[in-house]
Amino acid sequence: MILYNITVIANNDIKDEFREWTIHVFLPTIAQSELFKSQSLLKVNDSPNEGETFCIQIIAKSETEIALFQQTQLSLLHEKSNDIWLNKIYLFESKMEYLAMY
């Protein structure tokens, strides 16, 4: 399994709007696709960054599901960040492979 993580640093003036949009629009859209085992939003409590740091975490069976998500659904987040939150959020993606889980 692979943990696909999108870290988002949101300016203080849009952090609440970003959180609510992610919870009520973006995550339900991802869930409807039924591509993944789970999808969640986390807040980083001890972030050294200004603003609020969030992580959108998606658990996938393989790279195939992640690639399909990137082609079909990730654009929703990119469009919102470019059209509405331009220069107010910074995001980056990472993939981590599970080696052991207990």
Side-chain angles (χ1 to χ4, degrees):
M1 283 193 297
I2 299 171
L3 174 65
Y4 177 62
N5 181 76
I6 304 168
T7 300
V8 178
I9 303 167
N11 286 5
N12 283 324
D13 60 331
I14 59 103
K15 68 182 182 184
D16 295 335
E17 180 184 353
F18 171 80
R19 183 186 62 241
E20 294 304 308
W21 177 83
T22 302
I23 291 169
H24 298 291
V25 177
F26 194 53
L27 290 179
T29 299
I30 297 169
Q32 286 176 347
S33 72
E34 298 181 350
L35 280 175
F36 305 111
K37 292 182 63 82
S38 69
Q39 47 279 318
S40 54
L41 177 66
L42 294 85
K43 182 179 94 168
V44 178
N45 287 333
D46 57 356
S47 175
N49 303 305
E50 288 192 32
E52 194 91 21
T53 302
F54 299 96
C55 293
I56 299 167
Q57 295 194 335
I58 299 168
I59 298 176
K61 293 177 191 168
S62 70
E63 293 276 347
T64 304
E65 289 88 0
I66 294 170
L68 185 57
F69 167 77
Q70 290 172 322
Q71 293 168 1
T72 61
Q73 294 177 317
L74 186 57
S75 62
L76 184 61
L77 176 59
H78 285 291
E79 288 169 8
K80 187 85 168 169
S81 66
N82 290 332
D83 294 345
I84 306 298
W85 299 318
L86 186 62
N87 299 322
K88 295 191 178 261
I89 69 170
Y90 171 77
L91 62 91
F92 62 92
E93 304 162 52
S94 57
K95 295 180 226 170
M96 296 163 261
E97 185 175 348
Y98 285 93
L99 300 178
M101 288 175 62
Y102 294 92

